[in-house]
Amino acid sequence: MIVRRYQQPVLNYIGRMVREREMALDFSQEVFLKVYASLRSYRPQFKFSTWLFKIASNFMIDHWRKKKIPTLSIDAQPEGEEDCPPIQLPDQNPSVVRQFELKELRAKIDAAIDKLPLSLRELFVWRHVNGFSYEEMAEIKGLPLGTVKNRVFQAKELLKKLLEEPS
Amino acid sequence: MICLKLERLYAYLEGDLAGRDKKAVEDHVASCPACREALEVRRVLLQAAETLPAFEVPGDFARAVMDRIAPERSKAKTSGWLMAAAAGAATFAVAFVATTLITGHTLSQLVLGLNRFLWSNLQGLTSVLTKGAKYVILTVKTLIQIAGEVLQILNTLTSFIGPETQIVFIGATVLLVLGGGFLWSRRFSTERNHEE
């Protein structure tokens, strides 16, 4: 029952993190095995999905550490990050984003997500692919709400910048 | 005119603003082309991100996970059964050896004796069961015959009486039974009161 209920959100999360279907399926299986193995440690006062995604997130952190990814650690604070983001005002130049068809834009976003630093990618995927609330994400990561909001904001703006870069 | 912060535009797009805050953004965007463009770009971007195709989950994914979880459980179950079977076999062996030592009979004599004992009891049990079945069948047959006779008599009697008379007769019988029951219960309760 647990697997059927959460297989799609877990696969969507891991799939967007690794971008390889077979690897995503293997990792998702491993996450569910870890969930079953740790069921005794689950406390009902916490939301089950929060607990499950904490396990999934830790699994991904272990994976990146084993791979010794030279980019930012998934839990590292991005450069210049503060709880209160700097004032961001709209660009005065028109964006190319609106010139793309929706299908084309989806493909570009899919590729651009892979270029986001891990700490931003994970939160962006949770917020805009899995549809988590900022509060849920803050609980899963054990981070202040302001930090989570700021990172998601940075992810979105970086994504927009990546989409505007000439391919 | 001071342009809106991008955080505010995202908060508007994600439905985090309400009332006056929401209205303020809408009013500003209506009169500021730069903010309007910025809002639209981010709306398109979020819409595309939120409608990315989901990774297809194979139909047997859950089963594959459970198969990897289950071996541990089934192993535990199997070992439980094996333990029970081994314990049973060990008890039987000990009892057999003890009986052999106490009675002084050989193994073949004991097996033969056990066989004879089981066979004679089985024969006795079979004959008892057969007799019981015969009596049950005979009783059922007799009851069916009696019910048939009673129905025949009722059929003959009702052929002489019209349907209206039959209804009156049945109604009177029901009334008599109910009235009799009522009177009997009253008498019974009065007697009990006297006794008390």
Side-chain angles (χ1 to χ4, degrees), chain A residues 25-98:
Chain A
L25 284 169
D26 285 349
F27 283 8
S28 300
Q29 277 200 14
E30 293 296 332
V31 166
F32 282 112
L33 292 181
K34 280 186 183 291
V35 166
Y36 269 89
S38 320
L39 270 178
R40 284 179 181 208
S41 69
Y42 170 66
R43 297 283 168 271
Q45 63 261 35
F46 300 109
K47 205 173 164 189
F48 188 79
S49 60
T50 306
W51 178 75
L52 188 147
F53 272 88
K54 200 174 275 187
I55 291 174
S57 179
N58 287 338
F59 180 87
M60 291 311 299
I61 291 169
D62 288 346
H63 166 68
W64 301 125
R65 278 186 188 148
K66 276 180 205 160
K67 275 190 85 177
K68 292 178 181 162
I69 298 287
T71 53
L72 277 172
S73 156
I74 202 162
D75 263 355
Q77 186 162 295
E79 208 175 318
E81 182 184 71
E82 292 160 23
D83 278 354
C84 299
I87 295 170
Q88 298 278 348
L89 297 176
D91 302 329
Q92 296 303 310
N93 304 320
S95 169
V96 292
V97 171
R98 290 183 71 191

Side-chain angles (χ1 to χ4, degrees), chain B residues 95-124:
Chain B
F96 207 83
V97 170
T99 315
T100 311
L101 289 172
I102 293 162
T103 56
H105 291 301
T106 60
L107 185 70
S108 57
Q109 281 173 332
L110 278 172
V111 171
L112 210 63
L114 187 70
N115 196 19
R116 276 185 194 142
F117 172 76
L118 286 173
W119 181 240
S120 62
N121 278 302
L122 191 70
Q123 276 183 320

Side-chain angles (χ1 to χ4, degrees), chain B residues 19-33:
Chain B
R20 284 204 311 203
D21 291 339
K22 189 179 172 189
K23 181 85 171 46
V25 171
E26 283 166 353
D27 289 346
H28 178 84
V29 166
S31 59
C32 175

Side-chain angles (χ1 to χ4, degrees), chain B residues 169-179:
Chain B
F169 182 75
I170 291 166
T173 312
V174 169
L175 279 173
L176 273 172
V177 169
L178 288 173

Side-chain angles (χ1 to χ4, degrees), chain A residues 3-154:
Chain A
V3 181
R4 286 192 199 286
R5 168 77 179 79
Y6 294 102
Q7 59 188 16
Q8 188 67 70
V10 167
L11 186 62
N12 279 346
Y13 160 59
I14 295 177
R16 296 284 168 220
M17 293 303 282
V18 299
R19 290 198 77 214
E20 281 178 43
R21 187 179 150 74
E22 289 309 311
M23 191 190 278
L25 284 169
D26 285 349
F27 283 8
S28 300
Q29 277 200 14
E30 293 296 332
V31 166
F32 282 112
L33 292 181
K34 280 186 183 291
V35 166
Y36 269 89
S38 320
L39 270 178
R40 284 179 181 208
S41 69
Y42 170 66
R43 297 283 168 271
Q45 63 261 35
F46 300 109
K47 205 173 164 189
F48 188 79
S49 60
T50 306
W51 178 75
L52 188 147
F53 272 88
K54 200 174 275 187
I55 291 174
S57 179
N58 287 338
F59 180 87
M60 291 311 299
I61 291 169
D62 288 346
H63 166 68
W64 301 125
R65 278 186 188 148
K66 276 180 205 160
K67 275 190 85 177
K68 292 178 181 162
I69 298 287
T71 53
L72 277 172
S73 156
I74 202 162
D75 263 355
Q77 186 162 295
E79 208 175 318
E81 182 184 71
E82 292 160 23
D83 278 354
C84 299
I87 295 170
Q88 298 278 348
L89 297 176
D91 302 329
Q92 296 303 310
N93 304 320
S95 169
V96 292
V97 171
R98 290 183 71 191
Q99 295 168 8
F100 301 129
E101 292 285 324
L102 188 60
K103 198 178 168 185
E104 190 185 3
L105 188 59
R106 281 194 195 120
K108 284 183 181 292
I109 287 177
D110 198 24
I113 286 174
D114 198 38
K115 293 178 186 164
L116 290 176
L118 297 173
S119 60
L120 303 186
R121 193 191 308 174
E122 182 178 56
L123 293 177
F124 177 83
V125 169
W126 280 348
R127 175 68 185 156
H128 293 291
V129 177
N130 287 102
F132 287 177
S133 70
Y134 287 112
E135 289 76 11
E136 275 178 298
M137 289 153 63
E139 203 183 326
I140 295 170
K141 295 304 289 179
L143 290 169
L145 188 61
T147 306
V148 171
K149 283 187 176 181
N150 185 23
R151 285 190 188 179
V152 175
F153 172 76
Q154 284 185 40

Side-chain angles (χ1 to χ4, degrees), chain B residues 10 12-13 37-48:
Chain B
Y10 280 121
Y12 174 78
L13 286 172
E37 172 66 14
L39 184 75
E40 281 313 305
V41 167
R42 280 145 188 95
R43 190 199 300 277
V44 169
L45 201 144
L46 291 189
Q47 190 194 359

